[in-house]
Amino acid sequence: MAEEKKGFFRRLVSGLTKTRQNIVSGLDSLFHGFSSIDEEFYEELEEILIMGDLGVKATYAILDDLREKVKEQHIKEPADCKQLLIDSIKAQMQIGETAYEFENRKSVVLVIGVNGVGKTTTIGKLAGKLRSDGKKVVIAAADTFRAAAGDQLKEWADRANAEFIGGQEGSDPAAVVYDAVAAAKARKADVLLCDTAGRLHNKKNLMEELKKINRVIEREYPDAYRETLVVLDGTTGQNALSQAKQFAEAAEITGIVLTKMDGTAKGGIVVAIQSELGIPVKYIGVGETIDDLQKFDPDDFVNALFTADSHEEDGEEE
Ligand SMILES: Nc1nc2c(ncn2[C@@H]2O[C@H](COP(=O)(O)OP(=O)(O)O)[C@@H](O)[C@H]2O)c(=O)[nH]1
Ligand SMILES: [Mg+2]
């Protein structure tokens, strides 16, 4: 278990290389380049955090917190700010315990998000995770907008060894969910994962469609635990934040999945999302294979951000 946790953390550290370079290398030169903690220091820090996609609101909160601590603790050396900054970022991301109850209950997980963010891939990964925990999984292809979407999901279902329920192209997504609920009940499934089409360009339509799907689930499967995950593309930075806000207006979101965190420089967006929306980021996607989904832990994330990985050390240390 400890070994597993270690390997997991190492992968997180290496996945965040670009985000780390984007944020932490700037911070390092700030902490070591400045000789005193003055206004210029704070301005530079503000710029690094904003450029690192932490978001305006979180950045100001972090700066206020830091200024206060620096004053309180009579800190004079910029280098002594580093740990305080790390603690402030962690504090900003605290939104209480993140629940993963759906993993252990009879549940329905609705996965929403705009096209291309990684919904289908995330469902495949989640199915794989649940299957390896011995859960019985049914997958509903309620993205009936494109025929290819169903085929892609079917491949993931096969890979994860989960049951697949699809519909004709252009058919009613709520009807597919209806069939999938029937299948989940008949097979005594643990978790039903529902893929949806991500059309946000018309919020009213989206809301109506989600309402209809929700009504079907409430009526046909009232005892199932409900989870609604919004999938966001981590490489899109502030755009992901604004998508999350729009979806939060259209549906009751219980969690966020931030994908493509491998290789993006914009991973700081996760701070903005938790801090501004107060919705937990439950998973992060760190690659395209079935094993590339990790539970998100804010403290691990911040620690990984400030931990140099071995490659960087090899290249940069004298
Ligand atoms: N590198 C990387 N690629 C991802 C990740 N998640 C999804 N993708 C890729 O993003 C593309 C779109 O994913 P898809 O699941 O089809 O998005 P959907 O339209 O929301 O269902 C695919 O090429 C996926 O392989 C991730 O965590 N990391
Ligand atoms: Mg899809």
Side-chain angles (χ1 to χ4, degrees):
M1 212 43 205
E3 263 313 301
E4 194 185 318
K5 173 105 189 163
K6 232 166 139 190
F8 190 79
F9 187 72
R10 214 176 300 125
R11 283 182 65 187
L12 183 60
V13 169
S14 90
L16 288 173
T17 299
K18 280 194 188 151
T19 296
R20 180 171 39 254
Q21 282 166 351
N22 188 22
I23 300 173
V24 176
S25 19
L27 291 177
D28 275 340
S29 44
L30 177 71
F31 292 137
H32 296 112
F34 273 73
S35 53
S36 68
I37 304 171
D38 50 18
E39 264 324 294
E40 213 182 311
F41 170 85
Y42 284 119
E43 268 168 34
E44 179 90 19
L45 178 57
E46 178 182 324
E47 190 175 325
I48 293 167
L49 298 181
I50 299 261
M51 296 307 284
D53 273 300
L54 273 77
V56 175
K57 203 172 152 219
T59 295
Y60 287 155
I62 290 164
L63 280 168
D64 285 349
D65 189 46
L66 187 69
R67 278 177 198 267
E68 208 167 290
K69 284 180 186 151
V70 163
K71 224 179 198 170
E72 259 172 33
Q73 302 177 24
H74 307 288
I75 298 198
K76 297 275 177 291
E77 292 298 319
D80 295 338
C81 282
K82 185 168 172 176
Q83 191 55 46
L84 293 180
L85 178 70
I86 291 173
D87 295 341
S88 289
I89 296 175
K90 284 181 181 172
Q92 261 312 297
M93 295 175 81
Q94 280 315 315
I95 50 174
E97 189 84 33
T98 297
Y100 293 90
E101 237 178 303
F102 77 92
E103 291 185 352
N104 299 306
R105 288 176 61 169
K106 185 171 82 180
S107 60
V108 180
V109 182
L110 206 58
V111 178
I112 60 181
V114 305
N115 212 8
V117 290
K119 291 180 297 300
T120 302
T121 308
T122 297
I123 286 182
K125 293 172 181 174
L126 264 179
K129 227 177 176 40
L130 291 162
R131 287 291 299 137
S132 65
D133 289 342
K135 306 287 180 191
K136 212 180 248 184
V137 179
V138 173
I139 295 179
D143 177 359
T144 55
F145 197 58
R146 297 171 304 132
D151 299 341
Q152 185 200 359
L153 189 61
K154 173 85 170 63
E155 270 174 40
W156 276 107
D158 291 345
R159 212 172 287 147
N161 196 9
E163 175 130 8
F164 175 83
I165 305 290
Q168 295 290 320
E169 182 178 345
S171 65
D172 183 1
V176 175
V177 171
Y178 180 93
D179 291 344
V181 167
K185 287 200 280 198
R187 272 97 165 155
K188 297 194 167 39
D190 296 297
V191 182
L192 168 59
L193 302 170
C194 303
D195 198 7
T196 64
R199 281 163 293 153
L200 195 60
H201 60 250
N202 186 336
K203 200 158 82 193
K204 194 153 171 290
N205 267 359
L206 173 83
M207 282 168 96
E208 287 308 317
E209 194 163 300
L210 291 176
K211 261 192 207 150
K212 206 168 157 194
I213 291 173
N214 279 323
R215 268 201 303 271
V216 168
I217 299 169
E218 272 155 30
R219 195 178 60 220
E220 302 299 323
Y221 213 18
D223 53 337
Y225 182 82
R226 301 294 312 277
E227 182 82 29
T228 301
L229 300 175
V230 172
V231 180
L232 303 169
D233 180 338
T235 65
T236 61
Q238 297 304 309
N239 230 326
L241 182 65
S242 79
Q243 277 171 25
K245 284 179 182 163
Q246 293 186 58
F247 276 106
E249 285 168 19
E252 254 183 65
I253 298 166
T254 56
I256 285 168
V257 180
L258 204 58
T259 62
K260 311 184 195 181
M261 290 292 273
D262 49 308
T264 179
K266 296 177 186 271
I269 193 64
V270 71
V271 181
I273 288 171
Q274 289 225 160
S275 147
E276 284 198 30
L277 299 178
I279 301 171
V281 174
K282 293 198 173 174
Y283 300 93
I284 56 173
V286 291
E288 294 183 278
T289 76
I290 198 157
D291 298 317
D292 291 323
L293 189 73
Q294 300 189 347
K295 275 191 181 152
F296 179 73
D297 179 88
D299 284 355
D300 278 355
F301 172 82
V302 178
N303 290 338
L305 209 51
F306 285 89
T307 304
D309 73 28
S310 46
H311 296 296
E312 286 173 275
E313 270 170 19
D314 286 350
E316 284 173 17
E317 300 289 348
E318 56 282 283

